Amino acid sequence: MKKVFVTRQIPDVGIKMLKQKGYQVKVSPYDRVIKKRELVRELKKGYDALFCLLTDKIDGKIMDVGLPRLKVIANYAVGFDNIDLNAAKERKLIITNTPSDQVNESVAEHVISLMFTLAHRVVEADNFTRAGKYKGWQPDLFIGQNLMNKTMGIIGLGRIGKATVRRAQGMDMTVIYHDLYRDREFEKKSKAKFVSKADLLKKSDFISLNVPLLDSTRHLMSTKEFKQMKKTAFIINTARGPVVDELALVKALTKGEIAGAGLDVYECEPLIDCNPRDHYELRKMNNVIMTPHTASATIEAREAMATVAAKNIIAALSGRRPPNQVKFK
Ligand code: DGY
């Protein structure tokens, strides 16, 4: 009988699919990130598939514990920077991820909600109102800005980037994008305009990062890039924390080089500041809004992720190519 180990409880729909296939499924009993030694202990028992989360660091040593029985590692996330792909390639392991329309829509909606919240200063105004400070209407109270006719710059025109373009255009924003690859078909359909990274930084009022974390995208936004942005512009990161150089971001915000930030991911996640003993600046800033890596936390997205991951495992263990097999370089 094929055996699957799941490192944390995920929506039942995925577990059911695996069980219906006749697999023996064990879910980690802990309601937290599984510890390395716990995962090692479990994998030693022999599993055909490991169903893991982005919070599990899967390196060559972990893979070796599962071998030779282990065939597939199914990540319950679109991003797979938690898995050592070189190690997986050397060991001929199959790695899969969970892209889906539901995740794209959820993350794109989250980008828009961060943008709205910043533009209309919703969190500041909410805190003020709750604190009983509202004493009557004032013409200059929490002046924000309209999104209409503003320019949205998308860095990374993958599935989530494209879903974000559609939403921004629905709000009458001008959309420009930058990516390694120019997508002329999409440009025709959407009227989004391809620009250089420098132009995007210079022209955008809101910049959304929608790239995977790769060596080439680590610190894609750093001191130089923040200096190129408008002083009135906002940066939004729902991709991966290390895409932004956090220290450079804190400096740019402190010096007023940019207007604010909407963050769902953090460079030293789950820490909000990489260097918490020295500074908690991000948390103190009114022009920064933060969510705890929840851009894809909708029922629809989480269930789709569970279904997609289960399908990937079933395909791999049936000798078929999984629908979302990660390509090795
Ligand atoms: C992903 O899928 O990569 C998100 O960051 C978590 O759902």
Side-chain angles (χ1 to χ4, degrees):
M1 184 192 277
K2 301 266 196 270
K3 283 172 68 190
V4 182
F5 181 63
V6 188
T7 61
R8 196 162 183 175
Q9 186 64 52
I10 49 121
D12 257 358
V13 57
I15 307 287
K16 274 192 195 141
M17 283 170 68
L18 295 168
K19 285 188 176 162
Q20 270 162 12
K21 201 66 199 158
Y23 300 165
Q24 186 182 317
V25 183
K26 175 161 181 194
V27 180
S28 164
Y30 311 111
D31 186 21
R32 56 163 168 76
V33 176
I34 194 165
K35 295 195 172 108
K36 192 169 177 176
R37 64 179 149 78
E38 293 162 347
L39 182 55
V40 165
R41 198 188 314 135
E42 203 53 54
L43 283 178
K44 275 187 183 160
K45 295 178 187 165
Y47 285 92
D48 302 275
L50 172 63
F51 190 134
C52 62
L53 273 57
L54 62 90
T55 41
D56 303 318
K57 297 278 167 251
I58 309 294
D59 57 17
K61 282 191 187 142
I62 293 278
M63 294 172 191
D64 287 340
V65 180
L67 290 171
R69 183 162 176 177
L70 188 65
K71 297 285 171 297
V72 54
I73 300 177
N75 211 33
Y76 182 68
V78 177
F80 41 80
D81 45 282
N82 56 311
I83 300 177
D84 183 339
L85 290 191
N86 290 328
K89 186 179 176 185
E90 278 167 24
R91 290 158 178 80
K92 297 193 170 42
L93 277 165
I94 296 171
I95 308 296
T96 65
N97 70 338
T98 56
S100 70
D101 288 347
Q102 292 86 338
V103 172
N104 303 338
E105 305 306 335
S106 178
V107 179
E109 286 178 12
H110 204 82
V111 171
I112 301 295
S113 77
L114 291 176
M115 190 163 67
F116 259 123
T117 308
L118 287 165
H120 287 260
R121 302 178 62 182
V122 176
V123 174
E124 284 175 86
D126 176 82
N127 286 337
F128 173 90
T129 313
R130 277 171 203 274
K133 293 184 183 165
Y134 179 49
K135 302 292 177 221
W137 188 86
Q138 258 175 257
D140 59 350
L141 196 56
F142 292 110
I143 299 296
Q145 53 178 297
N146 287 357
L147 295 181
M148 187 178 177
N149 295 334
K150 296 281 165 26
T151 298
M152 171 96 183
I154 308 273
I155 301 190
L157 193 75
R159 285 173 275 225
I160 294 173
K162 285 177 180 161
T164 308
V165 170
R166 287 203 307 276
R167 278 162 183 74
Q169 288 180 329
M171 294 185 308
D172 292 333
M173 297 182 82
T174 301
V175 182
I176 55 180
Y177 79 95
H178 181 71
D179 195 290
L180 280 184
Y181 306 100
R182 184 165 177 183
D183 189 337
R184 290 177 196 274
E185 272 307 298
F186 184 75
E187 284 176 41
K188 265 190 236 151
K189 272 192 278 178
S190 70
K191 298 207 186 78
K193 204 170 146 232
F194 176 83
V195 291
S196 66
K197 182 179 167 196
D199 264 359
L200 185 139
L201 295 172
K202 202 165 71 189
K203 291 182 178 156
S204 301
D205 299 299
F206 294 87
I207 295 176
S208 173
L209 303 173
N210 297 103
V211 292
L213 176 61
L214 306 167
D215 287 343
S216 56
T217 59
R218 191 172 292 273
H219 286 192
L220 186 77
M221 291 299 296
S222 190
T223 309
K224 184 177 122 216
E225 285 75 17
F226 290 125
K227 283 193 193 306
Q228 286 172 274
M229 285 173 63
K230 293 183 188 176
K231 281 194 163 46
T232 51
F234 295 88
I235 181 89
I236 293 172
N237 189 10
T238 56
R240 283 291 182 268
V243 172
V244 172
D245 176 348
E246 184 189 289
L247 206 57
L249 172 66
V250 169
K251 282 192 186 144
L253 288 162
T254 309
K255 289 189 193 161
E257 285 171 356
I258 64 171
L263 306 173
D264 185 51
V265 287
Y266 307 90
E267 183 161 7
C268 300
E269 213 168 308
L271 293 180
I272 299 301
D273 281 287
C274 285
N275 206 351
R277 262 184 300 224
D278 292 345
H279 57 85
Y280 279 98
E281 282 96 338
L282 285 176
R283 282 199 241 174
K284 287 186 211 144
M285 293 176 180
N286 281 336
N287 53 347
V288 174
I289 52 169
M290 298 186 279
T291 51
H293 205 149
T294 48
S296 66
T298 61
I299 296 170
E300 294 86 351
R302 289 286 188 256
E303 288 194 345
M305 287 161 70
T307 308
V308 170
K311 280 187 187 160
N312 285 328
I313 290 176
I314 292 168
L317 297 188
S318 312
R320 286 181 279 113
R321 190 184 163 79
N324 307 103
Q325 181 165 351
V326 172
K327 287 191 193 112
F328 297 134
K329 277 201 196 123

